[in-house]
Each structure stands twice: as C-alpha cells, then as structure tokens.
Amino acid sequence: MAVTLSEAAARHISKFISKRGKGIGVRLGVKTTGCSGMAYKLEYADESGAEDLVFESQGLKVIVDPKSLPYIDGTELDFVREGLNEGFKFNNPNVANECGCGESFTV
C-alpha cells in the first residue's frame, strides 16, 4: 500500500511549501461527486491526524485518510505541463473509467 509523488510533483510541492512558510506535504483523498462517481481531493497539509495514513515520498509526506486509500492505493501524483497548461495529474492504476471532462472516475 502506498501513494507516491513523482520528482516533478515533489519539486512543485516543495516550492509551494517554501513560499507558504509552513507545511509537511500534501493530503490526498476522494469524494463522491461528478458524472462518474468520485473525484480527487488535494490540499497542502500542515499536520497529520491520528487516523491518517502517512507515506514518505521524495522527502515529503503524502497523507491519506483510511476511507480513501482503497480507491487511490498505488497512485502516483505527478505535475505536468501541457502547452500553456500545468497541473497535478493522478496516475491511478485502480481507475476503471473516467468521465469525458476528466473530473471524476470510477473504480
């Protein structure tokens, strides 16, 4: 069981945490929404809770709540630039289908 960061994602997160002046990593999870049923949640984390699962990747912490882990186990969070756009990309091996807009998925 693990959720990891690519080098590009770790660089981007580290830069943001440095500018922000605090933080230990990112919190990843899923929520029920969208056309396909589930969508990713991503936020910067300052601390972890007692129930959280904490993974170390590229020198940063990736924090996941236990209910989300079955849906994102094995996921690599990447940071990509495509033309003029840039953003995080979830490389999730559990995804069975994604909606056309790319905002939600099913497992």
Side-chain angles (χ1 to χ4, degrees):
M1 286 192 183
V3 178
T4 59
L5 302 172
S6 70
E7 286 184 39
R11 274 194 310 273
H12 184 78
I13 292 165
S14 292
K15 284 181 192 176
F16 186 83
I17 288 173
S18 179
K19 285 181 188 177
R20 195 171 169 247
K22 63 178 181 175
I24 60 170
V26 291
R27 179 178 299 280
L28 296 179
V30 295
K31 61 183 176 180
T32 305
T33 188
C35 335
S36 294
M38 303 188 112
Y40 297 106
K41 297 187 300 185
L42 171 66
E43 58 189 22
Y44 290 94
D46 296 329
E47 58 187 35
S48 61
E51 297 288 318
D52 290 331
L53 301 164
V54 181
F55 303 100
E56 287 279 338
S57 181
Q58 307 282 347
L60 295 167
K61 293 188 184 330
V62 180
I63 302 166
V64 179
D65 68 271
K67 290 180 183 176
S68 294
L69 187 61
Y71 303 105
I72 60 175
D73 186 27
T75 296
E76 178 193 55
L77 180 62
D78 196 7
F79 188 79
V80 295
R81 289 193 171 114
E82 296 172 350
L84 298 175
N85 299 319
E86 64 181 19
F88 287 106
K89 179 179 179 183
F90 296 85
N91 297 317
N92 185 344
N94 304 304
V95 170
N97 204 358
E98 293 179 316
C99 70
C101 66
E103 292 295 318
S104 61
F105 65 97
T106 56
V107 177

